[in-house]
Amino acid sequence: MQIEVISALAASGAAVLGVPSALIVGLRQARAGREAAEHAAQAASAQWRSNNRRDAAVAFIMAVEQALELAREIRIAHTALDLEPGKQLRRELRKALAVVQLEGPLSIAQCGEAVQKAVDGTLATVMAEHRRVAPTLALRTAAEEGSDTALALRRQLNGLNRTRIDRQLWRDVVETGVLTSRQASSLARQHQAKLDGRPTNRRPHVPFGDLYRSHRQALGEFIAVVRAHLHAAPGQSPLPATNDV
């Protein structure tokens, strides 16, 4: 049936019932306005969620970038470093991931989890390795700066005929501030392990450069997933994951 006929019948029916045509027009306009308001609210909500997800992704990407660069800085350090910034950055990385997980969608959260786990593991490993070699680095720095005590201990540690080191020398390096008591104890244990022929590092060695490039690639994949989601048309999922929200 033609639209004109339907409109005519509706108008005639309204006239029979005594309903003013102006009222019908007003109801139609009110309904159209309500639908437009609902569409606008849905669009605003979608935009708000999209902005939140973008901001969460940006914060996470920046945290990963900082973690990777700090890991590289620690890895190539020639002097003992304060590892507190590394501890703080690991916390910030977990916090940034938590926001990504809360904002969703599942595809982005899962990709972010994989990146965070890998980068955090590498940073933790690099920090642990630096903590192990920090006493040696501190001793070398002190010896190069002219500390006789540090030079004497270093010569004994690096001597061809490695023997047990007198306890007084260990006390001297602590009392003169060359090493902390914890660093001296750690270095003494490492030296004793060498004397006993025991390995001092049982962790399998993976070249840091390979890990760094792998993490960079994973971060690039995360960025691609985020970009695909943000550029997808409203109501469409850029990935086949059915649990995305």
Side-chain angles (χ1 to χ4, degrees), residues 7-21 24:
S7 299
L9 291 175
S12 62
V16 171
L17 295 175
V19 180
S21 59
I24 295 177

Tab-separated table of all heavy atoms in Angstrom, residues 7-21 24:
chain	number	residue	atom	x	y	z
A	7	SER	N	-1.215	7.303	4.952
A	7	SER	CA	-1.283	8.578	5.668
A	7	SER	C	-2.691	9.136	5.631
A	7	SER	O	-3.206	9.680	6.615
A	7	SER	CB	-0.298	9.575	5.046
A	7	SER	OG	1.015	9.090	5.153
A	8	ALA	N	-3.333	8.984	4.471
A	8	ALA	CA	-4.703	9.489	4.342
A	8	ALA	C	-5.648	8.740	5.251
A	8	ALA	O	-6.510	9.327	5.918
A	8	ALA	CB	-5.149	9.367	2.877
A	9	LEU	N	-5.509	7.396	5.283
A	9	LEU	CA	-6.349	6.597	6.167
A	9	LEU	C	-6.122	6.948	7.630
A	9	LEU	O	-7.061	7.033	8.426
A	9	LEU	CB	-6.081	5.109	5.929
A	9	LEU	CG	-6.565	4.551	4.580
A	9	LEU	CD1	-6.117	3.095	4.434
A	9	LEU	CD2	-8.083	4.671	4.460
A	10	ALA	N	-4.836	7.133	7.991
A	10	ALA	CA	-4.531	7.479	9.385
A	10	ALA	C	-5.148	8.820	9.732
A	10	ALA	O	-5.710	9.008	10.817
A	10	ALA	CB	-3.017	7.518	9.585
A	11	ALA	N	-5.060	9.761	8.788
A	11	ALA	CA	-5.609	11.092	9.053
A	11	ALA	C	-7.123	11.036	9.179
A	11	ALA	O	-7.723	11.659	10.056
A	11	ALA	CB	-5.180	12.050	7.945
A	12	SER	N	-7.758	10.242	8.282
A	12	SER	CA	-9.213	10.136	8.347
A	12	SER	C	-9.658	9.438	9.619
A	12	SER	O	-10.656	9.811	10.242
A	12	SER	CB	-9.729	9.374	7.119
A	12	SER	OG	-9.206	8.051	7.105
A	13	GLY	N	-8.886	8.417	10.032
A	13	GLY	CA	-9.217	7.717	11.281
A	13	GLY	C	-9.091	8.635	12.469
A	13	GLY	O	-9.927	8.628	13.389
A	14	ALA	N	-8.057	9.431	12.468
A	14	ALA	CA	-7.885	10.368	13.565
A	14	ALA	C	-9.005	11.383	13.599
A	14	ALA	O	-9.485	11.787	14.665
A	14	ALA	CB	-6.533	11.082	13.405
A	15	ALA	N	-9.447	11.781	12.374
A	15	ALA	CA	-10.528	12.761	12.323
A	15	ALA	C	-11.818	12.168	12.876
A	15	ALA	O	-12.573	12.835	13.584
A	15	ALA	CB	-10.722	13.228	10.875
A	16	VAL	N	-12.062	10.876	12.545
A	16	VAL	CA	-13.268	10.207	13.037
A	16	VAL	C	-13.257	10.131	14.553
A	16	VAL	O	-14.269	10.324	15.234
A	16	VAL	CB	-13.394	8.806	12.424
A	16	VAL	CG1	-14.521	8.005	13.085
A	16	VAL	CG2	-13.625	8.915	10.930
A	17	LEU	N	-12.065	9.827	15.105
A	17	LEU	CA	-11.942	9.713	16.561
A	17	LEU	C	-11.902	11.072	17.245
A	17	LEU	O	-11.880	11.140	18.471
A	17	LEU	CB	-10.693	8.904	16.925
A	17	LEU	CG	-10.705	7.436	16.477
A	17	LEU	CD1	-9.369	6.791	16.776
A	17	LEU	CD2	-11.840	6.675	17.162
A	18	GLY	N	-11.793	12.074	16.480
A	18	GLY	CA	-11.762	13.406	17.064
A	18	GLY	C	-10.399	13.804	17.571
A	18	GLY	O	-10.300	14.691	18.434
A	19	VAL	N	-9.331	13.142	17.089
A	19	VAL	CA	-7.969	13.467	17.503
A	19	VAL	C	-7.422	14.511	16.543
A	19	VAL	O	-7.381	14.267	15.332
A	19	VAL	CB	-7.068	12.228	17.495
A	19	VAL	CG1	-5.659	12.603	17.934
A	19	VAL	CG2	-7.646	11.156	18.404
A	20	PRO	N	-6.974	15.638	17.047
A	20	PRO	CA	-6.452	16.674	16.165
A	20	PRO	C	-5.196	16.182	15.447
A	20	PRO	O	-4.356	15.478	16.027
A	20	PRO	CB	-6.124	17.833	17.120
A	20	PRO	CG	-6.941	17.572	18.342
A	20	PRO	CD	-7.056	16.081	18.443
A	21	SER	N	-5.086	16.525	14.176
A	21	SER	CA	-3.911	16.111	13.403
A	21	SER	C	-2.641	16.735	13.962
A	21	SER	O	-1.552	16.140	13.895
A	21	SER	CB	-4.093	16.508	11.943
A	21	SER	OG	-4.265	17.927	11.829
A	24	ILE	N	-1.167	14.446	16.520
A	24	ILE	CA	-0.478	13.301	15.931
A	24	ILE	C	0.903	13.710	15.441
A	24	ILE	O	1.896	13.026	15.663
A	24	ILE	CB	-1.314	12.724	14.774
A	24	ILE	CG1	-2.632	12.156	15.307
A	24	ILE	CG2	-0.525	11.634	14.032
A	24	ILE	CD1	-3.548	11.631	14.217
